[in-house]
Amino acid sequence: MLSDQALAAIAAERRKYPADQARSALLAALRIAQEEHGWLPTELIEEVAQVLEIPSIQAFEVATFYTMYDLKPVGKHKLCVCGSVSCFLNGSDDILAHLQKRLGIGIGETTADGLFTLQEVECLGACKDAPVLHLGDQYLERLTPEGIDALIEQLRGGSSDVR
Amino acid sequence: MYVNGVTLKNRGIPDSHRLSVYESTGGYQALRKIFSEQVTPEQVIAEMKTSALRGRGGAGFPTGLKWSFMPKGVSGTKYLLCNADEGEPGTCKDRDIMRYEPHRLIEGMIIGAYAMGARAGYIFIRGEFIEPIRRVEAALEEAYAAGFLGERILGQDFSFDLYVYRGAGAYICGEETALMEALEGKKGQPRFKPPFPASYGLYGRPTTINNVETFASVPDIIVHGGQWFLELGKANNGGTKIFSVTGHVQRPGNYEVPMGTPFPELLEMAGGLRPGRSLKAVIPGGTSTAMLAGDTMMDCTMDYDSIAKAGSALGAGSVIVIDDSVCIVRVVERIARFYMHESCGQCTPCREGMGWLWRVMHRIENGQGRAQDIELLLNVGSRIEGRTICALADGGVAPVVSSIKLFREEYEHHIRHGQCLVGQRRAA
Ligand SMILES: Cc1cc2nc3c(=O)[nH]c(=O)nc-3n(C[C@H](O)[C@H](O)[C@H](O)COP(=O)(O)O)c2cc1C
Ligand code: SF4
Ligand code: FES
């Protein structure tokens, strides 16, 4: 399932580590696979293990341990709202409630059109900009319900650079 | 006062992450000085000791001393790691150093590698930090191109390779040995210590690990001297330190101030409290440190010793300000959830205990608390502390136990009346 491009990216990761430590490239290889495929089905995890020449159990252990790997399909836009204490003190519960109402889904669910997945996550390391949301390669900060409305409109309109 | 003068010095300058800007403001002068003045590795370490720089990742271990633990004259590769896994609620400083001052971090690591004889290094950055990752990767490319990294750095008999390693989501990887496991491509589960990383670290090799802010403090210490850095702060608490002030303040942010700055001054910088509010409590060093009463905090200065004397810890300098609009039970319930979620699961007292603490907190918060629940929380807490492989579990106990000590009447009211003594059920 992995493209030549993905295989080249994995090979580049391998070169960062001693020759006998291919396993060190595992987290990166899984990320590269997920970026290409959207999520990590069982066969893809097995393929990553084969590419790195490590037992597949090692790849499954890692894929299930870390939170950034998606083991089921997710929406095109995965909205990860921080609910840890600094964000909580600045109204993250209201942001989450607003998103649930706007999208008509609960936490951990995906909209029927496959566009949005909503998740509550722990501290994103941007607490001074609370409340914070992680979306793809961006952080959206100091969220307000109005800002959320604008964000959803923009994403529905097809734009993904929302800063 | 020496404000924002060391690790975040260039934050306000456009393109401060670029090599050209860093060099035009004195960047890489520390490294050049080491070579031109033929400063030996031992002298670098001595300067670090004089500076009284203490690790900025949370434990506050003296950096010069840590560096002196690296074995000399061993064959094979020694490693230098940077901990940029920043994930404890309230902590958000390393992200800004990497966004605005990536070269300061890199220069600090090169100097560290020179002092300890490390041949290779990795900067472990949490996976969500895409912008910081890109900034650091771009800075590494610039540094390689300019001859600051790689073979024979600046023509000297010294080589050091440095790479970015991206995490994949797990707070526990911030624990130094869990980080090494993750770097080896495994689940991030802390190792038993001893052996310590200086003898058995990454791939079983001698390894030193420091926090981003620790490394970023190094170049100025070399340029201006350890004594200069020490005198910015106070004895045993050298230098300036970034305090991430978050929560109920009007201007949350990263403020880099001298160690020993009175807390009221820091609070003032962060815009003070919201109008009409009073200071209820402060968590001074991130959620793993004990909560202090607002009044106690107003008498503290911001340094390891003062905060320890008050019964808590400076941690990573993550100051979470809590005003009187919110119920403490609800705040602590939220913190307890974090530890339940982040326990790596290998020690029974932590795996079971973190969940237990949260469930009891949760039922108290939701009006189903039982008369004996306060004693239960204290009891469970006392059975966890000191009985686990790493400090995560103790960190999860601290907010619960300290908040009961300070706000027992709020807990009791919750249990008796099934609702808050203060504030609305939802935080404002
Ligand atoms: C559960 C846990 C999480 C930690 N998270 C971090 C972290 O995100 N960043 C960090 O620098 N240190 C973290 N630490 C501390 C590290 O184990 C280690 O002490 C530190 O990286 C050493 O660097 P320093 O001496 O420069 O502070 C954590 C410790 C524990 C027990
Ligand atoms: S204390 Fe908790 S997080 Fe630390 S090693 Fe044990 S189970 Fe894992
Ligand atoms: S608490 Fe939300 S980013 Fe840290």
Side-chain angles (χ1 to χ4, degrees), chain B residues 129-167:
Chain B
F129 274 178
I130 304 291
E131 186 190 14
I133 286 169
R134 288 185 181 152
R135 287 265 167 99
V136 173
E137 282 180 338
L140 285 175
E141 264 181 47
E142 287 182 319
Y144 267 102
F148 296 126
L149 282 171
E151 299 283 334
R152 299 192 56 82
I153 291 171
L154 296 177
Q156 305 288 316
D157 183 22
F158 163 57
S159 304
F160 178 57
D161 282 304
L162 187 55
Y163 310 92
V164 167
Y165 186 91
R166 290 165 72 155

Side-chain angles (χ1 to χ4, degrees), chain A residues 10-62:
Chain A
I10 293 171
E13 285 291 332
R14 264 188 88 149
R15 286 194 290 275
K16 292 182 177 177
Y17 312 100
D20 58 348
Q21 299 291 347
R23 194 174 172 183
S24 277
L26 175 57
L27 273 71
L30 288 169
R31 168 178 53 80
I32 290 163
Q34 174 165 305
E35 278 168 5
E36 186 166 277
H37 190 263
W39 62 289
L40 290 174
T42 306
E43 313 81 70
L44 190 55
I45 298 172
E46 279 170 350
E47 189 179 342
V48 164
Q50 275 162 21
V51 169
L52 293 177
E53 298 171 272
I54 59 172
S56 20
I57 181 69
Q58 294 181 353
F60 284 113
E61 266 183 19
V62 161

